[in-house]
Amino acid sequence: MKPFPLFAALVLAVACVATALTAPAAQSAAKPLLWAARASTHVFPDSLPDDTGGASALALDSARNEFEAGQVVVRWDREFTIKKVSFGALTAGRNTIAASNLTYNFVKFTSLNHNSVFDKNGSKQYVYAPSRPAPDEFPDGLSNTPSIKVGANRTQPIWVRVNVPRDAAGGVYRGTVTLETDQGNLSLPMSINVRPVTIPDAKDSGFTDVEWTLFFGTVSYQEPPVETMLANYGFSPFSPEWWKLMEDYARIRKDYRNNNLTLPMSTLLMQGEKTKVDPDGTVHFDWSRVDEVVEFFTERGTVSRLEGLWMGGGPGYWSKWDVETLATGPDGKLIKKYVDWDSTEADQYIKQYVAALRDHVKAKGWADRWWMHVGDEPQGAVGKAGWLGIYEKVKAVWPEVKIGDATFHEGVASEVSAYEDIVIPNLLNYETHPAAWDKARAEGKDLWLYNCNIPTLGFLNRFVDQPQYYQRLIGWLAAARGANGHLHWAFNNWNISMDDQEVKGDFWTVNVDKEHKDLLERTLRLESLRDGIEDWEVIEILKQKHPGLATDLAKALASKPGTFTGDVTYLERIRALVLDAAAGKPLAARNLANVIKTGAAADLGAQHQVDGVFVTWGDSHPDAYTIQTSYDGKNWVDAGTRTGSKGGEEFVGLNAKARYVRLKAAAPGLVDFKIAGAPVGRPNLVGGLTYHKSWEPPKDPKVFDDVSLRESTDGVVSDNFGDGRPYLIQGGPNVTKDFSVTFDFAAAKKVSEVAVQGYVEYSGYRPDTVQVLTSTDGSTWTDRGGLTRPNDASGNRYLVRFAPVDAKHVKIAFTRTFTEKDDGVFIDEIEVY
């Protein structure tokens, strides 16, 4: 297989130099660093090229009719101003993508006073692997200002995106990004590999993106009431200024595939001049504001679903279930009044409202797009009774209306799924109780995944301090599990400051722009979620011809809300396979089935990055099978296991390095066995070697520790605690330990780099320091440098580089001061180059 080109060459800081500046004053100054970084990587104000997987060119992969982005990053030892960023057309032979299809934003940093934590009755549940400990500055906003002043010795990422036309010819398009500065111009090559596969427009998509918005007024009970738009932009809904801002919101909806329109029904009805309530309780509904909003966004091509957001709520929401009604207040003005769901007043209002809504929706031709709520997150016996009671009243009036609610509290959540037309479990529910939701999906119901202030811990969510790729992987998880939507609270609840948010960014994914009153400020999280939805679209296209294979490829990256890759390079390689396969390209070369099915091993001839295997079965197939890898053909490791095999086409993701691959047991029914991957650029000198540890293995068999002395060199990266691959060093609170792993090459070798895989699942179980030492005799050691935190593109690996030296022995030394909460260090894969 041809090596995957995206960011293929990691370059040292000294090599990441821009085109020479032409300004005379700059000729004697140190040159600026200019490099490319992935869209999936957080770039901080102190980031250097090695920290971000820095590359000398920006290289992207894309389908047609999608946006794809990367980052151009600049750093200099002096203050300077970037006046603008310019592009020429991208060309592939005679084909072009116009420069107007390329846009940029300067990435802004937001200060977090602490990392995201959900406080449940005093039990704090932190995110397990934040991209960096807080307090610190985190990248999030995308500035609407076209120029920026960059401080000395401060790293500035620039978000560069390509909007690939739906009629673009397939091919690799090339061009240049130019930074026009007050010190001269800087330039960086860029390319985008466009596959001839076209994803649908958001309004025509099978994926529904639900972002609860407060542009039209409150969506639920709020005391005291805050008019979000007036408080943050200085104008109210339906003012001329507001309509200008809604033009930008419509652009966001279209560009970011936000195709569900949230309609706070009671709020909009109250703004209709003819809505009134008679003394006898008869309600006259004025739908004019509802119609105005729906028509505005429909005309701009942004609507596939209409969400009539009316639900149970009110001040006693968690202890009883109320129905939101309209009533006349003491001053004669309309108010929202909350009444017990089982009261005569509630019954009377539901009958009037749902009947009038039904007739209006059908008259407008919206019935196939309309869905609505009963009440958010029902819990306990009271919540279950209230939800079912309101549900039955609504369905009695409008049997065919689709109803769905975000659910969390078990077991009510699973029970409610039997009644909902759209099931919307929180990701934590889907992790722990998937059967109810999978059953609903198998019955033909929509399955939408739900994020809010939970889950934290080691689960996918949309927090500012979570790794950037977490949001993208939500789309892959949806594809892997057959889900077709996502709901997030909230899009623009700007009334809670970032400092006051326990989980950072839960209240909004688009920022207020006080400087530009007619614009909203996009965020990296908004970009990343769109990337995941676009990836979902490509996987769905592949499912039309290869359903099992497409699902397996998605599962290789995210099989559960808490089981997903922590390697952005692996994400890119699997994504490239999906793009190629959807475009009809061969999946991999060399059918090795004749060798593999006999129980023999396939010799790849050299060390390879093995991303997985494509398997095709004939008339017979095992129910489960294991793929093994090895560096030497003698010592084998279980690299991937497939359970519940259905035969036909399958893919088993591995993310391993190896020279040999085999099935653990012979399989006569094997028809096709192809390996996805490519030769590594240089061999890992310790691949498959044993090593010496400076500590004794723990005597408790329940504690992970390797017995083969190859756990760190078997080539397979650990995903989580449960896979048993890493080994553990433990210590008591406030105890500091020094420990090391030493390799003996038996003969001197040239060494210049050591990579240590940090524990992916939980950053608290990583070492405080990683130091590399070399020796020619095993007695006298020379320090070659070290790190205090991971510094790769994924934020998980420690990459220590130094000038090439001859060494017979390499030692990786660690230190750690343990805490009561973080009482161990997991050591996983170690590579030496």
Side-chain angles (χ1 to χ4, degrees):
M1 179 178 175
K2 184 178 179 180
F4 183 58
L6 183 55
F7 293 96
L10 293 176
V11 289
L12 297 174
V14 294
C16 292
V17 179
T19 300
L21 294 173
T22 57
Q27 291 178 356
S28 61
K31 292 181 178 179
L33 298 178
L34 184 70
W35 71 93
R38 297 166 173 83
S40 52
T41 298
H42 271 162
V43 179
F44 292 90
D46 61 352
S47 291
L48 296 173
D50 285 356
D51 303 331
T52 58
S56 56
L58 180 63
L60 307 174
D61 274 299
S62 181
R64 298 187 292 209
N65 198 36
E66 77 160 288
F67 291 84
E68 196 58 36
Q71 299 180 81
V72 173
V73 190
V74 63
R75 181 183 178 90
W76 205 3
D77 64 358
R78 57 168 56 191
E79 182 181 274
F80 67 105
T81 297
I82 304 175
K83 297 183 290 185
K84 65 177 292 189
V85 178
S86 59
F87 314 94
L90 302 178
T91 61
R94 295 183 178 181
N95 300 313
T96 63
I97 296 176
S100 58
N101 285 66
L102 282 74
T103 54
Y104 73 94
N105 300 87
F106 295 108
V107 178
K108 296 173 65 175
F109 299 96
T110 186
S111 295
L112 302 186
N113 55 352
H114 63 75
N115 285 119
S116 293
V117 56
F118 177 66
D119 193 342
K120 183 179 181 181
N121 300 323
S123 175
K124 295 184 180 297
Q125 299 176 358
Y126 287 89
V127 294
Y128 278 171
S131 56
R132 180 168 289 193
D136 209 330
E137 293 181 274
F138 287 76
D140 190 45
L142 294 172
S143 174
N144 288 317
T145 302
S147 63
I148 192 171
K149 180 178 287 186
V150 183
N153 297 310
R154 185 174 174 88
T155 301
Q156 178 59 57
I158 305 162
W159 197 258
V160 174
R161 70 177 72 75
V162 183
N163 182 7
V164 180
R166 64 182 307 119
D167 60 351
V172 179
Y173 292 75
R174 304 183 188 280
T176 303
V177 183
T178 300
L179 279 57
E180 300 179 18
T181 85
D182 60 351
Q183 304 291 313
N185 290 350
L186 308 172
S187 62
L188 194 76
M190 72 170 294
S191 64
I192 183 165
N193 186 349
V194 177
R195 306 319 198 276
V197 55
T198 307
I199 68 172
D201 292 337
K203 65 180 178 59
D204 303 318
S205 173
F207 191 95
T208 302
D209 178 38
V210 183
E211 306 276 350
W212 277 7
T213 59
L214 285 77
F215 290 118
F216 318 115
T218 58
V219 297
S220 59
Y221 177 79
Q222 189 171 329
E223 189 62 45
V226 176
E227 191 175 313
T228 302
M229 297 307 300
L230 181 62
N232 292 278
Y233 269 90
F235 46 75
S236 298
F238 301 102
S239 65
E241 298 92 341
W242 181 86
W243 280 114
K244 285 187 66 178
L245 183 63
M246 289 304 96
E247 290 286 1
D248 193 48
Y249 175 45
R251 285 191 291 270
I252 285 180
R253 289 176 50 80
K254 190 171 184 178
D255 289 350
Y256 290 88
R257 309 187 75 79
N258 176 209
N259 53 9
N260 175 83
L261 184 59
T262 300
L263 300 165
M265 295 301 294
S266 296
T267 302
L268 290 170
L269 288 169
M270 289 170 67
Q271 295 185 59
E273 294 181 359
K274 297 180 181 179
T275 298
K276 67 176 183 175
V277 182
D278 293 341
D280 65 356
T282 301
V283 187
H284 305 271
F285 299 100
D286 181 346
W287 306 99
S288 58
R289 287 300 195 193
V290 176
D291 296 350
E292 193 174 8
V293 168
V294 172
E295 289 163 7
F296 178 86
F297 290 103
T298 300
E299 288 171 0
R300 284 152 182 79
T302 75
V303 179
S304 68
R305 299 260 192 165
L306 295 168
E307 177 187 15
L309 212 155
W310 163 84
M311 61 172 63
Y317 181 61
W318 297 113
S319 59
K320 63 175 183 174
W321 270 62
D322 291 332
V323 169
E324 184 179 274
T325 72
L326 296 182
T328 303
D331 59 358
K333 294 182 179 179
L334 285 174
I335 61 170
K336 294 179 184 179
K337 182 181 178 182
Y338 295 89
V339 299
D340 189 285
W341 72 269
D342 204 19
S343 65
T344 301
E345 192 173 356
D347 193 53
Q348 180 185 15
Y349 186 83
I350 290 173
K351 288 179 180 179
Q352 291 185 82
Y353 171 72
V354 176
L357 175 66
R358 175 199 62 205
D359 294 345
H360 186 75
V361 166
K362 289 184 176 182
K364 298 294 290 187
W366 300 340
D368 61 336
R369 294 184 287 167
W370 193 271
W371 68 287
M372 59 190 293
H373 298 270
V374 167
D376 197 37
E377 294 189 358
Q379 61 174 304
V382 172
K384 178 181 176 182
W387 193 95
L388 288 174
I390 299 173
Y391 172 88
E392 289 171 357
K393 292 176 187 289
V394 171
K395 285 286 190 174
V397 180
W398 192 0
E400 64 271 27
V401 68
K402 288 191 174 181
I403 289 179
D405 272 308
T407 51
F408 169 63
H409 302 276
E410 291 293 358
V412 176
S414 293
E415 294 178 36
V416 162
S417 69
Y419 298 89
E420 291 180 297
D421 303 284
I422 304 168
V423 295
I424 314 175
N426 186 276
L427 283 184
L428 191 57
N429 296 70
Y430 196 67
E431 174 80 15
T432 58
H433 295 77
W437 319 107
D438 289 341
K439 179 176 181 292
R441 184 60 174 148
E443 292 170 349
K445 295 182 179 181
D446 291 307
L447 168 60
W448 300 347
L449 305 177
Y450 163 45
N451 288 105
C452 56
N453 59 346
I454 53 174
T456 50
L457 305 176
F459 297 97
L460 297 174
N461 211 316
R462 302 188 67 188
F463 307 138
V464 174
D465 54 336
Q466 284 185 312
Q468 176 71 5
Y469 56 88
Y470 273 37
Q471 295 93 55
R472 186 168 202 159
L473 288 178
I474 291 172
W476 288 82
L477 176 66
R481 306 299 304 207
N484 64 332
H486 177 257
L487 184 149
H488 179 251
W489 162 264
F491 193 67
N492 68 316
N493 186 8
W494 298 311
N495 303 320
I496 309 296
S497 72
M498 189 66 77
D499 279 354
D500 290 336
Q501 294 180 43
E502 289 185 342
V503 286
K504 303 304 186 180
D506 173 54
F507 283 83
W508 67 76
T509 51
V510 60
N511 295 335
V512 176
D513 191 335
K514 294 185 181 296
E515 181 182 353
H516 304 92
K517 291 289 189 177
D518 57 348
L519 294 175
L520 297 158
E521 185 178 278
R522 286 74 167 156
T523 65
L524 297 180
R525 291 173 294 138
L526 195 62
E527 293 270 337
S528 186
L529 185 69
R530 173 180 62 194
D531 286 340
I533 297 173
E534 290 174 333
D535 293 343
W536 182 95
E537 298 284 7
V538 178
I539 297 167
E540 288 301 302
I541 292 171
L542 180 58
K543 282 183 179 180
Q544 294 172 15
K545 292 185 177 180
H546 305 279
L549 188 63
T551 299
D552 287 346
L553 283 161
K555 286 182 177 179
L557 295 186
S559 58
K560 294 181 180 180
T563 305
F564 49 87
T565 186
D567 184 348
V568 297
T569 63
Y570 187 57
L571 187 162
E572 288 173 343
R573 294 194 300 272
I574 295 297
R575 180 170 174 268
L577 289 175
V578 170
L579 284 165
D580 285 341
K585 294 184 178 180
L587 297 174
R590 293 181 62 198
N591 183 3
L592 301 169
N594 289 335
V595 174
I596 299 295
K597 69 181 178 182
T598 64
D603 182 355
L604 304 179
Q607 290 184 14
H608 272 57
Q609 170 65 54
V610 180
D611 297 324
V613 295
F614 296 101
V615 177
T616 304
W617 298 101
D619 294 334
S620 65
H621 65 86
D623 294 331
Y625 54 93
T626 298
I627 308 295
Q628 293 187 313
T629 58
S630 172
Y631 274 108
D632 59 11
K634 299 176 182 177
N635 297 283
W636 295 89
V637 60
D638 293 350
T641 299
R642 175 62 185 252
T643 59
S645 172
K646 297 180 180 179
E649 294 179 312
E650 295 177 333
F651 179 80
V652 182
L654 302 184
N655 197 11
K657 289 186 175 70
R659 179 171 174 173
Y660 300 87
V661 180
R662 73 179 185 186
L663 278 173
K664 194 171 186 177
L670 190 66
V671 172
D672 205 347
F673 189 97
K674 295 178 180 178
I675 296 172
V680 297
R682 50 190 172 156
N684 172 16
L685 300 178
V686 299
L689 291 188
T690 58
Y691 41 82
H692 171 74
K693 299 188 304 182
S694 66
W695 67 95
E696 291 296 322
K699 304 196 183 298
D700 183 352
K702 295 180 181 178
V703 176
F704 286 114
D705 196 271
D706 65 310
V707 293
S708 67
L709 289 179
R710 286 190 175 87
E711 288 288 355
S712 277
T713 59
D714 61 15
V716 182
V717 175
S718 172
D719 288 327
N720 56 63
F721 181 84
D723 67 12
R725 290 196 178 105
Y727 49 94
L728 179 68
I729 302 94
Q730 286 189 298
N734 301 317
V735 172
T736 300
K737 283 189 176 182
D738 301 312
F739 45 97
S740 62
V741 174
T742 305
F743 295 93
D744 184 347
F745 294 147
K749 295 180 181 293
K750 193 74 71 176
V751 175
S752 62
E753 179 182 329
V754 171
V756 177
Q757 178 67 45
Y759 187 49
V760 174
E761 187 181 34
Y762 186 26
S763 60
Y765 271 63
R766 295 173 183 166
D768 293 333
T769 65
V770 176
Q771 206 76 17
V772 174
L773 304 98
T774 64
S775 174
T776 56
D777 58 11
S779 299
T780 303
W781 296 90
T782 302
D783 187 347
R784 301 300 177 184
L787 296 165
T788 59
R789 66 185 181 206
N791 65 331
D792 77 320
S794 300
N796 292 322
R797 285 158 60 90
Y798 301 80
L799 303 175
V800 182
R801 296 185 174 101
F802 44 92
V805 297
D806 290 320
K808 184 181 177 184
H809 306 268
V810 172
K811 179 186 292 186
I812 299 92
F814 307 91
T815 65
R816 178 58 193 271
T817 300
F818 299 94
T819 67
E820 185 173 350
K821 180 169 69 79
D822 303 326
D823 62 349
V825 169
F826 278 105
I827 302 298
D828 190 24
E829 202 66 10
I830 298 174
E831 300 168 19
V832 179
Y833 296 98

